[in-house]
Amino acid sequence: MELSVLDVLLFIVATIITIWFYFQNSYRYWDKRQVPYLKPVFPYGNSTTLLQKDSLPAGEVYNWYNELKNKGHQFGGVWSFSRPVFVVLDPEYIKDILTKDFHHFVNREIYCNEKHDPLGTNLFNIEEQSWKLLRQKLTPTFTSGKMKMMFKSIVDCSDNMIKFLEKKSDADEDIDIREVLASFTSDVIGNVAFGVESNSFDDSKNDIRKYGKEIFETFDLLLLLRIAAQRICPNISKKLGIKSMPDRMIEFFSNLVKTTMEYRTKNNITRPDFLQLLIDMHQEGETSEKYVNFDQIVANTLLFFIAGFDTSSTTMTFTLYELARCPDIQEKTRQEIQKVLSKHENKLTYEALQEMTYLQQVVDEAMRIWPPLITLGRICTRDYRLRDSDIVIEKGTPVVISTLGLGRDPRYYADPEKFDPERFSSEEKNKRHPYIHIPFGEGPRNCIGLRFGLMQSKIGIIRILTNFRIHISTKTKMPLTVDPSIFLLKSNETLYLKAEKM
Ligand code: HEM
């Protein structure tokens, strides 16, 4: 049977009309459930940031937070394309979802395909029982004892950064501080996750740094299409078997782990790092409950690298930005550091770090304004009735929380743009709901690397502040603004600093 042009045209029109009806039906979802909502636009729903050039959807949740807040709501419904999404604003509801009723919200809605992409199946992505088991196995890797063991490696890695900054200071050159800190954290995580002694300051094109850049800084149309497909029909996109990263990247990291494992086993070498802890678990054998297989080792060392290096360098970048803008606070922080160090024979030790309480306030305040992960997400895994209401969040509904929105909400922080570490004194902290400041997430699925992330960020800041006075270069366009196009926080402007030797 031959089809005429008219048949084809009729088919296309019928398909468009069917899709349109499907979307319109979905756009009645929140109204039917008496949940306040933001008006959607066909076919994007409320994901209109996707319309912006070079834009991924990270910033949209912040916009949803503000729009719902301005209408006086504590929660609300939106649509990502045709898919209903639940946005939570109120800290007490956030506490229910992340902690108290966690068993209804165990998973994240992240693309994860165990069959086709074993290396994408890491702790961040996997679900339910598999997640629970792996989290139990990996938790002992992040105890304070293990952090103490890795402390010296991090301090040693910071030497190269200080040497680099000294050269820049002598030449009176501007410093792209984000790039410097990304090199430092890339060296640290390369060292503790893969056992590689890299120096990104001498060899800025080394492979670990190169792939790190690629993971976070490459915009790719395929990725954008995949996100759109996932949101409209997550089950179908899962079955397509697309991998989470390019084959050559997977191959590079698998080979790196394989070679290091073989070398250590053959030469009977052990090192104080994450990789060693995973190798030890692997060597316990399949019958042990601690056992992790080779793919799990690669997937999770890679995850530590991805989750650990950009988040920490972002924390340091924005802390230094605020300290450079506020010389008095910079001086106060330096004085505390020097006072504590003098009590510890001028040695930077794990114990000395724990005593620097003002530094912790400074980092908290920087993460309030600039949380490295601006959105937290969960997927409802069992129907859930919202406290004191008849509203039921149905199984399969994505739930999102804006850490950026909470941190900049004037209801919680007067003059939210102002950098003021006093907001995190114990007295001030006690006045606020604890779920307003959650830069590491909360509940059983919070950041497993919190201790490590804070430790390496503080070490970087201490090393810089004890060697240099920092200033904003005139080359920096101020004030910095948030780039909504990527998953992790970044500013639209490059932050250039000047470092003055002390
Ligand atoms: C300052 C640095 C860091 C920040 C701000 C940060 C922030 C976060 C946030 C917000 C989450 C999501 C939590 C939630 O959904 O409730 C997370 C999860 C995670 N982070 Fe971090 N992170 C940092 C450093 C690290 C480091 C250094 C590592 C590893 C070495 C790491 C590994 C992970 C992992 C594995 C998860 C997923 C946990 C799970 O699903 O069980 N993070 N992080």
Side-chain angles (χ1 to χ4, degrees), residues 433-477:
H433 193 294
Y435 279 67
I436 294 171
H437 183 63
I438 44 174
F440 292 94
E442 257 302 343
R445 199 134 197 192
N446 73 345
C447 174
I448 198 173
L450 182 155
R451 280 201 184 100
F452 188 85
L454 276 178
M455 177 170 80
Q456 71 168 338
S457 303
K458 288 188 203 165
I459 291 175
I461 295 167
I462 293 170
R463 293 297 320 270
I464 291 178
L465 290 187
T466 48
N467 284 280
F468 308 97
R469 269 196 189 86
I470 49 165
H471 313 275
I472 307 255
S473 154
T474 47
K475 220 169 126 184
T476 307
K477 286 202 189 101

Side-chain angles (χ1 to χ4, degrees), residues 373-398:
L373 240 73
I374 61 180
T375 302
L376 302 177
R378 296 286 186 274
I379 191 114
C380 179
T381 40
R382 285 172 196 89
D383 283 2
Y384 177 72
R385 184 178 296 278
L386 211 59
R387 177 213 294 245
D388 303 330
S389 82
D390 291 331
I391 293 169
V392 172
I393 306 177
E394 284 186 318
K395 181 179 170 182
T397 312

Side-chain angles (χ1 to χ4, degrees), residues 213-436:
K213 265 185 179 226
E214 210 168 300
I215 291 166
F216 291 107
E217 291 168 19
T218 312
F219 173 76
D220 147 3
L221 185 64
L222 198 69
L223 179 65
L224 193 61
L225 291 175
R226 206 180 67 201
I227 288 172
Q230 250 180 281
R231 287 168 171 225
I232 298 169
C233 38
N235 291 333
I236 296 177
S237 71
K238 202 168 179 172
K239 285 191 183 117
L240 287 177
I242 303 165
K243 292 185 182 165
S244 51
M245 56 178 68
D247 280 342
R248 63 194 160 74
M249 227 187 255
I250 294 175
E251 204 179 311
F252 169 77
F253 284 110
S254 301
N255 283 338
L256 189 59
V257 172
K258 189 162 175 262
T259 327
T260 314
M261 276 176 76
E262 281 169 1
Y263 178 76
R264 288 191 189 180
T265 314
K266 196 169 147 211
N267 298 292
N268 218 2
I269 292 171
T270 58
R271 285 194 61 205
D273 58 27
F274 285 127
L275 180 59
Q276 190 63 47
L277 295 166
L278 292 169
I279 295 175
D280 292 347
M281 286 155 80
H282 180 68
Q283 286 173 344
E284 294 246 345
E286 278 186 50
T287 50
S288 162
E289 56 182 27
K290 288 189 187 161
Y291 178 75
V292 285
N293 64 31
F294 177 74
D295 281 346
Q296 284 177 314
I297 297 185
V298 182
N300 289 289
T301 42
L302 188 53
L303 170 66
F304 294 166
F305 177 65
I306 295 171
F309 109 86
D310 201 74
T311 44
S312 302
S313 63
T314 302
T315 304
M316 285 184 270
T317 301
F318 287 107
T319 306
L320 292 176
Y321 164 66
E322 296 293 355
L323 290 178
R325 288 209 308 171
C326 309
D328 294 350
I329 300 178
Q330 185 185 145
E331 199 44 47
K332 187 169 172 187
T333 316
R334 184 176 292 111
Q335 276 175 14
E336 181 198 59
I337 295 170
Q338 283 166 340
K339 193 169 158 204
V340 172
L341 288 181
S342 67
K343 269 173 53 193
H344 290 262
E345 299 166 352
N346 283 321
K347 285 200 184 99
L348 178 52
T349 60
Y350 185 79
E351 288 71 22
L353 196 73
Q354 310 312 312
E355 288 177 32
M356 298 176 187
T357 50
Y358 188 67
L359 175 63
Q360 178 64 48
Q361 285 179 226
V362 166
V363 173
D364 267 323
E365 174 66 348
M367 286 200 287
R368 171 187 73 78
I369 311 177
W370 308 101
L373 240 73
I374 61 180
T375 302
L376 302 177
R378 296 286 186 274
I379 191 114
C380 179
T381 40
R382 285 172 196 89
D383 283 2
Y384 177 72
R385 184 178 296 278
L386 211 59
R387 177 213 294 245
D388 303 330
S389 82
D390 291 331
I391 293 169
V392 172
I393 306 177
E394 284 186 318
K395 181 179 170 182
T397 312
V399 176
V400 290
I401 296 160
S402 174
T403 46
L404 189 63
L406 287 162
R408 295 182 179 201
D409 190 331
R411 294 176 301 177
Y412 306 130
Y413 303 101
D415 198 1
E417 305 291 316
K418 187 177 167 205
F419 183 73
D420 178 9
E422 295 310 324
R423 301 184 206 262
F424 286 91
S425 66
S426 336
E427 200 190 343
E428 287 303 311
K429 252 167 60 176
N430 288 340
K431 290 184 194 160
R432 276 190 308 268
H433 193 294
Y435 279 67
I436 294 171

